[in-house]
Amino acid sequence: MEDIRKRANKIRVILIVVLIGCFLYLGASLTYTAYESLVDARVKNDVAGISIKINGEDVIGSDGTLDKNVILDNTTWESTHTREEKISPGSSGTIAMELDPTGSEVAIIYTFKFVDKQIDEDKLLTFSSITSDHTFTRTGEDEYTGIIPISELSEKINISVDFFFDALTDMEAIEEDNQELDDLFEIHFHAYQYTGEEIVPYNG
Amino acid sequence: MNKAINYRFHIKYKNEKFRFLLFAFLLLVVLFLAYFLLSVVYARYEMAAKINADIDKAIYIIDAEKLSFNLEPEGIIPRDEAYTYKFSVSNFKGTTLSDMDISYKVKVRTTTNLPILIKMYRNELPSNTATNILGSAEAQQDSDLAWYRLYTSQGEYELPYTTKTTDIYTLEVSFPTSYATNPIYANYLESIEIIIDSKQVI
């Protein structure tokens, strides 16, 4: 009698171990075949869900690259004593962006992080303000967050970002403009599915 | 008796089997739930992009020739006629023109070995009517405790980005003949440095 009970327990333990093993294997293989890469506990979507275009350029690259580089060429600069469309210390300018979430299927939370001279002193330009027909919350020293609810997924968002070139910057003589675009500033755009999390304003 | 024992054992075995199957089923349900919950968290849509702007930085060209030289003892002797040296300052190099207005001052730094007199003329030849652009000398001492004389132009000059511009300067160095009788200067070397101190016009 005792033997039978021991045997039953043994079989139970073996079955549990086998079941857990099966599920772990199934879970792992499904995760990797379906999504290929996992970052920060979220799958970077390359199938559906969010579709955002910045100035008409799809943020999701055609090759599935997600950390894509969008280059904006519609900047307007005000510079005195400087050739048109060139910047020098004392110049200020505006970069216009159009965010188009058309085609998205879920509410979106997005952030702009400005990596400028205040954040990285090697950058040339300094961020001064962001304006839009959409509401932003400043959520960090250099970060602004916005939410696009499902009801507004068909509306385009116009954003203006103002930068300036500090007039006190020492400018060394240069014979050609051989700097990289990253030397000016970078904007890191990040968007993901909004699931109702609280947006905490920055109090710095 | 044996039959009764077998029957009880059979009942016990069935109960045990039922409990085991129930346990396995519940475990299955829990694992499925856990898996789907995890999937929902992991499948949260996300995208990221780096945004740059295509902006051209202005080119800042100031080209000055002949900026420092030495007056060798055998090259300069006291005489009535002044020695002249020419140099130019431009806002372009080859075909490339500066993208911004530039203003600059001219400074001349000399060692104090020889009792020379310095004058400088901008875009005109030395003459009695030409204007010496340099102010009076200012004594300076460097970190090696050596003394210098520093002359600075009294005005600031502009090079507009709209036009290729070259300013031609003539430096006039006089070593009066009154020092010819003093052999102490025969072995001295005088160093002259011309500094173009430029900045962007804002």
Side-chain angles (χ1 to χ4, degrees), chain A residues 4 15 43 66 187 190 197, chain B residues 9 20 42 44 46 48 51:
Chain A
I4 290 169
L15 270 172
V43 169
L66 295 157
I187 303 174
H190 194 200
E197 54 264 57
Chain B
F9 171 71
F20 171 73
Y42 273 80
R44 200 173 169 192
E46 182 183 21
I51 302 170

Side-chain angles (χ1 to χ4, degrees), chain A:
Chain A
M1 187 65 189
E2 193 63 27
D3 277 356
I4 290 169
R5 184 170 287 170
K6 276 185 178 172
R7 241 174 88 190
N9 279 339
K10 208 172 171 183
I11 291 170
R12 189 183 296 169
V13 170
I14 290 169
L15 270 172
I16 290 167
V17 169
V18 169
L19 260 174
I20 290 172
C22 286
F23 273 103
L24 283 176
Y25 174 73
L26 184 70
S29 59
L30 276 181
T31 301
Y32 282 98
T33 48
Y35 301 113
E36 302 233 337
S37 64
L38 289 171
V39 176
D40 294 338
R42 296 186 197 107
V43 169
K44 291 190 170 181
N45 171 47
D46 58 355
V47 184
I50 295 179
S51 167
I52 290 185
K53 289 186 176 72
I54 298 175
N55 285 18
E57 194 170 342
D58 206 331
V59 172
I60 302 174
S62 55
D63 59 352
T65 307
L66 295 157
D67 294 312
K68 187 175 174 155
N69 193 190
V70 177
I71 296 169
L72 307 177
D73 56 3
N74 56 341
T75 55
T76 50
W77 287 94
E78 282 179 25
S79 304
T80 53
H81 301 284
T82 303
R83 197 179 305 285
E84 206 175 330
E85 295 178 356
K86 303 272 183 175
I87 59 161
S88 61
S91 301
S92 60
T94 302
I95 297 156
M97 277 191 276
E98 184 193 69
L99 223 65
D100 181 6
T102 310
S104 297
E105 297 159 347
V106 293
I108 299 167
I109 181 168
Y110 62 94
T111 58
F112 287 108
K113 191 178 171 72
F114 299 100
V115 184
D116 66 349
K117 198 174 179 62
Q118 287 173 313
I119 302 297
D120 176 355
E121 62 179 23
D122 291 336
K123 305 290 183 199
L124 275 185
L125 303 181
T126 306
F127 163 77
S128 60
S129 65
I130 181 168
T131 49
S132 174
D133 48 8
H134 204 244
T135 308
F136 290 110
T137 305
R138 190 180 179 194
T139 47
E141 187 187 354
D142 55 341
E143 187 182 86
Y144 289 78
T145 300
I147 292 165
I148 311 173
I150 291 175
S151 59
E152 294 174 14
L153 286 176
S154 57
E155 294 170 18
K156 292 175 182 173
I157 299 168
N158 293 302
I159 299 163
S160 292
V161 181
D162 296 329
F163 281 89
F164 66 90
F165 195 157
D166 190 346
L168 298 176
T169 306
D170 281 335
M171 195 152 170
E172 288 178 10
I174 54 165
E175 289 173 24
E176 56 181 320
D177 177 18
N178 52 7
Q179 68 187 0
E180 303 289 325
L181 293 183
D182 279 354
D183 297 339
L184 298 166
F185 66 86
E186 292 171 34
I187 303 174
H188 294 172
F189 174 75
H190 194 200
Y192 50 93
Q193 182 184 354
Y194 179 57
T195 52
E197 54 264 57
E198 189 188 357
I199 309 297
V200 182
Y202 174 68
N203 289 318

